[in-house]
């Protein structure tokens, strides 16, 4: 995943699932709360690889992206297709990777 700083559009920060590009531990969870300076936004681009176990309602593995700094903020969970670019409406974004699998994919 790539995060872009709207103060410096050339600055990217990379975050990955645990142990990437190898398989993460079973039942892993990582949460990032990303904050940009006041008046700026956070942009999240995922790719080029997105390797999660598709499941009904994304119960097995997923990438949760929320427009705000909490798990109650509005957002989406992705587990099937590569997510399109996500932009926050404010300066904070909540990102959570999780797997409930004994044998997860690489993330």
């Amino acid at each position: 995943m790539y995060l872009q700083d709207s103060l410096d559009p050339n600055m990217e920060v990379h975050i990955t699932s645990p142990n990437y590009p190898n398989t993460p531990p079973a039942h892993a969870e990582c949460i990032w709360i990303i904050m940009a300076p006041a008046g700026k936004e956070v942009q999240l681009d995922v790719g080029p690889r997105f390797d999660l176990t598709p499941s009904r309602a994304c119960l097995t593995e997923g990438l949760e992206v929320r427009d705000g700094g909490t798990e109650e903020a509005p957002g989406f969970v992705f587990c099937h297709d590569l997510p399109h670019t996500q932009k926050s409406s404010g300066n904070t974004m909540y990102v959570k990777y999780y797997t409930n699998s004994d044998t997860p994919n690489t993330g």
Side-chain angles (χ1 to χ4, degrees), residues 3-14:
L3 296 168
Q4 188 172 40
D5 184 335
S6 60
L7 265 182
D8 179 359
N10 297 318
M11 182 182 156
E12 291 182 347
V13 176
H14 300 262

Side-chain angles (χ1 to χ4, degrees), residues 73-93:
F76 298 97
V77 177
F78 301 95
C79 64
H80 296 276
D81 297 321
L82 182 69
H84 57 282
T85 296
Q86 300 292 304
K87 289 187 179 183
S88 62
S89 61
N91 71 326
T92 309
M93 182 180 284

Side-chain angles (χ1 to χ4, degrees), residues 20-101:
Y20 183 83
N22 299 311
T23 304
H27 306 279
E29 177 180 282
C30 291
I31 296 172
W32 299 272
I33 298 172
I34 301 106
M35 291 186 71
K40 300 297 178 180
E41 63 184 22
V42 178
Q43 177 178 316
L44 175 72
D45 294 297
V46 178
R49 191 163 167 218
F50 187 68
D51 183 25
L52 299 179
T53 304
S55 63
R56 189 167 172 237
C58 298
L59 295 177
T60 304
E61 290 186 285
L63 179 67
E64 184 176 333
V65 180
R66 301 202 168 271
D67 186 12
T70 69
E71 61 186 333
E72 289 84 26
F76 298 97
V77 177
F78 301 95
C79 64
H80 296 276
D81 297 321
L82 182 69
H84 57 282
T85 296
Q86 300 292 304
K87 289 187 179 183
S88 62
S89 61
N91 71 326
T92 309
M93 182 180 284
Y94 173 100
V95 179
K96 175 181 171 182
Y97 162 81
Y98 63 90
T99 179
N100 295 313
S101 174

